Amino acid sequence: EIVMTQSPATLSVSPGERATLSCRASQSVSSNLAWYQQKPGQAPRLLIYGASTRATGIPARFSGSGSGTEFTLTISSLQSEDFAVYYCQQYNNWPHTFGQGTKLEIK
Amino acid sequence: QVQLVESGGGLVKPGGSLRLSCAASGFTFSDYYMSWIRQAPGKGLEWVSYISSSGSTIYYADSVKGRFTISRDNAKNSLYLQMNSLRAEDTAVYYCARGVAGYSSSWYEEWGQGTLVTVSS
């Protein structure tokens, strides 16, 4: 099973600033990586797939990069609605595995 | 619009059984693989089971293998998860999630709102 490790566990950032979230895979997943946003009491929402392609309706301030084992989600200018938990997920191999999440909180 | 609506969650005693359902609408259900993904209270996401669009290929997480059974009825646009021999550690919100048409493995484009399963005596 591929282990996905996200860092940091919690990130405190001020509105308007940039946030950079990291995800590392225990072995190469090529570009088969997705990012999701989850707010309290809600289901996860797809943000990025293929490591860098924004899903439909996702604002341009969200961007993804990386391949192989190292990936990054960048939110260029944080809006109030962006404070949430973010998960990465690899779909290169079964079982699909998720990172443990990064909580993005208001500084 | 695409909708996935889970039902069947509730409180069950350890060793008991529960059957979850997911009703799909707004898309051609038979074109998509489906998965169940769960989230224990205050924890992260854990993939549980996968079923191909035709139902011919099925995978399970090791944590549920031999206890859970996934199935689908494409005529009824429905996905199911039969959960037997339930344990306290199965307590979670269970989401049904849709893959991408034509892929055997992909990201999850659509998610239901989830149904809570609580295993406790």
Side-chain angles (χ1 to χ4, degrees):
Chain A
E1 161 173 326
I2 297 175
V3 177
M4 307 301 293
T5 303
Q6 292 185 240
S7 61
T10 303
L11 183 61
S12 299
V13 183
S14 300
E17 292 189 341
R18 174 189 297 259
T20 302
L21 290 67
S22 296
C23 176
R24 174 177 293 178
S26 61
Q27 65 188 74
S28 176
V29 298
S30 187
S31 294
N32 295 315
L33 185 107
W35 289 94
Y36 301 88
Q37 176 193 67
Q38 187 178 35
K39 296 179 179 179
Q42 296 184 15
R45 177 175 73 141
L46 176 68
L47 297 176
I48 301 283
Y49 62 90
S52 60
T53 303
R54 278 189 304 279
T56 303
I58 301 303
R61 64 180 182 274
F62 291 89
S63 63
S65 63
S67 66
T69 62
E70 301 283 342
F71 301 89
T72 300
L73 174 70
T74 301
I75 311 170
S76 60
S77 178
L78 280 163
Q79 307 296 303
S80 57
E81 61 267 29
D82 300 334
F83 292 95
V85 179
Y86 292 83
Y87 294 95
C88 61
Q89 175 232 337
Q90 68 80 20
Y91 50 91
N92 193 65
N93 291 68
W94 292 98
H96 287 179
T97 46
F98 294 85
Q100 80 280 15
T102 290
K103 181 179 181 181
L104 183 56
E105 63 177 28
I106 301 174
K107 187 174 182 180
Chain B
Q1 75 282 19
V2 172
Q3 274 201 306
L4 297 170
V5 180
E6 301 95 336
S7 60
L11 176 62
V12 61
K13 289 181 169 54
S17 298
L18 215 52
R19 189 194 196 209
L20 305 184
S21 299
C22 172
S25 60
F27 64 100
T28 305
F29 183 67
S30 59
D31 284 348
Y32 294 83
Y33 82 79
M34 301 293 294
S35 282
W36 288 99
I37 295 166
R38 68 185 180 183
Q39 187 170 35
K43 303 296 184 184
L45 300 166
E46 179 189 17
W47 171 81
V48 172
S49 185
Y50 154 96
I51 187 166
S52 63
S53 56
S54 66
S56 60
T57 302
I58 285 172
Y59 303 133
Y60 297 102
D62 287 345
S63 58
V64 307
K65 202 172 295 182
R67 301 187 299 121
F68 289 11
T69 302
I70 191 171
S71 62
R72 66 190 295 160
D73 185 335
N74 285 345
K76 294 183 177 180
N77 293 334
S78 293
L79 174 72
Y80 306 102
L81 186 68
Q82 177 67 43
M83 304 186 295
N84 298 331
S85 303
L86 283 162
R87 307 166 179 167
E89 54 265 35
D90 296 318
T91 294
V93 173
Y94 285 73
Y95 296 101
C96 64
R98 191 191 81 176
V100 178
Y103 286 66
S104 58
S105 179
S106 75
W107 58 97
Y108 294 100
E109 291 182 316
E110 302 288 346
W111 298 64
Q113 85 289 349
T115 187
L116 177 62
V117 172
T118 303
V119 184
S120 174
S121 54

